[in-house]
Amino acid sequence: MARGKVQMKRIENLVHRQVTFCKRRAGLLKKAKELSILCDADVGVIIFSNNGKLYDLSTKGSMQGLVERYMKSAKKALVSDEKANQPSESEEEIATLKQEIQLLQKGLRYTFGGGSGNMTLEELDLLEKHLEVWIHSIRSTKMDIMFQEIQSLKNKEGILKAANDYLQGTIEEQCGVFNIPPTNPTGIPYQLTIPNEIFNF
């Protein structure tokens, strides 16, 4: 006689339920052992009966060690999923820049196109804050450039002063007289040789 198909629902008869539990539990544990042997897998099975009795099987090592391995693996998988779901810093930065560009473009259209209905009050406040930040950054960069140019001019001034002192000393040395203009009966200017490195700005 052919065996009928078992309906997947709770067995109401307590005796039949207990017999089915024992048979299927034994079959499940047997299949777990076979899987471990045939595939060299580390298999763990935990079963609680309807009255709370525990049945477990660990094919390699202890159940506690297997559970600890599971917890570590599950934690790593959870962290990996969270990282995958969270946008990277570069993506967040790109999104922020896109929003700023869109806001600036909208502000330019509003400025040159006119019309108060193009932008909301919140957008205007946000645009004002961005403009203040940009102006501060531009002014700061401008001051840095001006400071660098002033320092460069001061350096050139020092070089020119050193060259002037060198020329003055050379003239006084050739004339042999201090604080008296040299006389040159021929009217030809004195030929002075000055090292080139003095004028390397």
Side-chain angles (χ1 to χ4, degrees):
M1 182 176 178
R3 185 177 179 181
K5 185 177 180 181
V6 179
Q7 295 182 357
M8 288 294 105
K9 65 178 183 178
R10 183 175 181 270
I11 300 174
E12 298 297 334
N13 188 289
L14 181 60
V15 176
H16 291 173
R17 187 194 311 158
Q18 186 64 29
V19 172
T20 302
F21 174 77
C22 292
K23 289 182 178 180
R24 290 188 176 255
R25 182 196 68 206
L28 177 61
L29 297 179
K30 181 181 178 181
K31 291 293 183 182
K33 291 178 182 178
E34 292 176 354
L35 176 63
S36 176
I37 295 171
L38 294 174
C39 302
D40 193 24
D42 195 355
V43 181
V45 180
I46 298 176
I47 303 173
F48 284 97
S49 65
N50 61 344
N51 57 8
K53 188 175 181 180
L54 171 65
Y55 301 89
D56 62 349
L57 169 68
S58 177
T59 58
K60 294 182 180 180
S62 64
M63 178 59 69
Q64 182 178 357
L66 188 62
V67 171
E68 290 177 354
R69 283 181 56 191
Y70 167 77
M71 295 298 294
K72 290 180 181 179
S73 298
K75 186 176 180 180
K76 290 181 180 179
L78 180 61
V79 172
S80 178
D81 291 340
E82 289 178 352
K83 289 183 178 180
N85 294 330
Q86 292 178 353
S88 62
E89 293 182 359
S90 59
E91 291 177 348
E92 292 180 354
E93 185 176 356
I94 291 173
T96 302
L97 290 175
K98 285 183 177 179
Q99 291 178 356
E100 292 183 358
I101 291 173
Q102 291 175 357
L103 180 63
L104 180 59
Q105 290 176 343
K106 194 171 184 179
L108 291 174
R109 288 195 299 267
Y110 170 78
T111 302
F112 293 101
S116 59
N118 294 333
M119 296 187 70
T120 64
L121 181 60
E122 182 179 358
E123 290 176 336
L124 289 172
D125 289 338
L126 186 59
L127 179 61
E128 182 181 9
K129 292 179 181 179
H130 281 298
L131 289 175
E132 290 176 354
V133 173
W134 294 333
I135 290 174
H136 176 75
S137 177
I138 292 172
R139 287 177 177 172
S140 178
T141 304
K142 180 181 176 182
M143 292 299 295
D144 290 340
I145 294 174
M146 292 176 63
F147 178 77
Q148 292 175 3
E149 291 181 352
I150 291 173
Q151 288 296 115
S152 177
L153 291 174
K154 286 183 177 180
N155 293 336
K156 290 181 179 180
E157 180 184 5
I159 294 173
L160 291 173
K161 186 176 183 302
N164 183 60
D165 294 341
Y166 177 83
L167 289 173
Q168 184 68 28
T170 302
I171 293 173
E172 292 176 353
E173 182 180 350
Q174 289 184 358
C175 294
V177 180
F178 295 95
N179 298 325
I180 298 176
T183 58
N184 187 0
T186 62
I188 301 175
Y190 290 105
Q191 299 295 325
L192 301 179
T193 302
I194 302 173
N196 293 331
E197 58 269 14
I198 293 180
F199 296 99
N200 290 334
F201 297 156

